[in-house]
Amino acid sequence: MKTPRELKVTPIRNGTVIDHITANKALHVLKILNLPSQETAVTIGMNVKSSQMGAKDIVKIEGRELESAEVDKIALIAPQATINIIRDYEIVTKGKVKLLETISGIIRCANPNCITNTEEPVDSLFYVTSQEPLVVRCYFCERAMDQAEIENQFGPL
Ligand SMILES: Nc1ncnc2c1ncn2[C@@H]1O[C@H](COP(=O)(O)OP(=O)(O)OP(=O)(O)O)[C@@H](O)[C@H]1O
Ligand SMILES: [Mg+2]
Ligand SMILES: [Zn+2]
């Protein structure tokens, strides 16, 4: 039997580790963050074993701390995700994404006739009617949207 040589993933000096991502959703998370880009080092683990989740994805991004609007989008895709901010190789903040009871402005209503799509200044607003699997309902026209419709809004992978 062969034993593997130890292969360590390079730690990041400054940046963000997004841990506990729903298995197989790492690419959706990267899509939300407009990554990979030419100058950002990204390490992705998919279907990694996790004691808490069975399987999970993990994304490590060098040189970038996430903005709260990005964290709010990630909550729609990976509601268990934890956001670890790394500075000088140490975790300085450990946060959890938060799926609120209402979602304002992040996604668009799928109904083209909805007032949020026809009247310019009206922001979208949804109630979360189910968290997992995610289902939201438009406050204005009551159109329901499921996980797949929401993911599609972030564009093709
Ligand atoms: N400098 C770093 N570079 C790359 N990854 C890092 C760095 N520091 C921590 N991590 C990663 O960040 C994640 C969270 O680290 P932590 O040490 O808090 O692990 P943990 O105790 O398993 O956390 P949790 O309780 O959130 O599961 C781990 O996946 C760890 O490998
Ligand atoms: Mg852990
Ligand atoms: Zn609507």
Side-chain angles (χ1 to χ4, degrees):
M1 272 255 280
K2 284 188 179 170
T3 51
R5 273 187 305 134
E6 197 179 5
L7 291 177
K8 279 221 174 81
V9 172
T10 315
I12 55 180
R13 177 191 287 273
N14 295 298
T16 306
V17 174
I18 310 169
D19 198 0
H20 308 112
I21 299 169
T22 311
N24 294 302
K25 296 297 180 186
L27 298 180
H28 294 82
V29 169
L30 293 181
K31 181 79 197 181
I32 286 168
L33 300 176
N34 292 310
L35 291 169
S37 69
Q38 301 253 323
E39 62 285 350
T40 309
V42 177
T43 308
I44 306 166
M46 292 182 74
N47 278 312
V48 177
K49 278 211 179 74
S50 160
S51 51
Q52 296 168 53
M53 299 172 70
K56 68 173 181 182
D57 285 7
I58 183 163
V59 168
K60 302 188 181 193
I61 307 159
E62 177 72 59
R64 173 139 163 214
E65 296 185 5
L66 303 192
E67 291 161 17
S68 72
E70 294 173 321
V71 173
D72 290 346
K73 285 184 189 172
I74 292 168
L76 298 175
I77 302 295
Q80 318 286 349
T82 50
I83 310 288
N84 301 277
I85 305 294
I86 313 285
R87 290 187 192 147
D88 205 14
Y89 297 110
E90 303 283 341
I91 296 175
V92 294
T93 338
K94 188 186 276 288
K96 213 181 166 312
V97 304
K98 208 165 150 62
L99 194 56
L100 301 174
E101 281 167 31
T102 59
I103 297 168
S104 179
I106 301 175
I107 48 175
R108 297 175 68 91
C109 182
N111 170 9
N113 298 319
C114 178
I115 186 169
T116 60
N117 288 319
T118 55
E119 302 279 320
E120 198 53 56
V122 182
D123 279 343
S124 71
L125 180 62
F126 299 87
Y127 291 117
V128 175
T129 54
S130 163
Q131 293 224 359
E132 281 194 85
L134 183 61
V135 181
V136 302
R137 188 173 291 279
C138 179
Y139 170 82
F140 297 98
C141 75
E142 306 215 318
R143 170 74 151 80
M145 288 168 59
D146 65 11
Q147 184 81 56
E149 281 180 295
I150 292 164
E151 282 174 10
N152 284 340
Q153 296 217 350
F154 299 119
L157 291 182

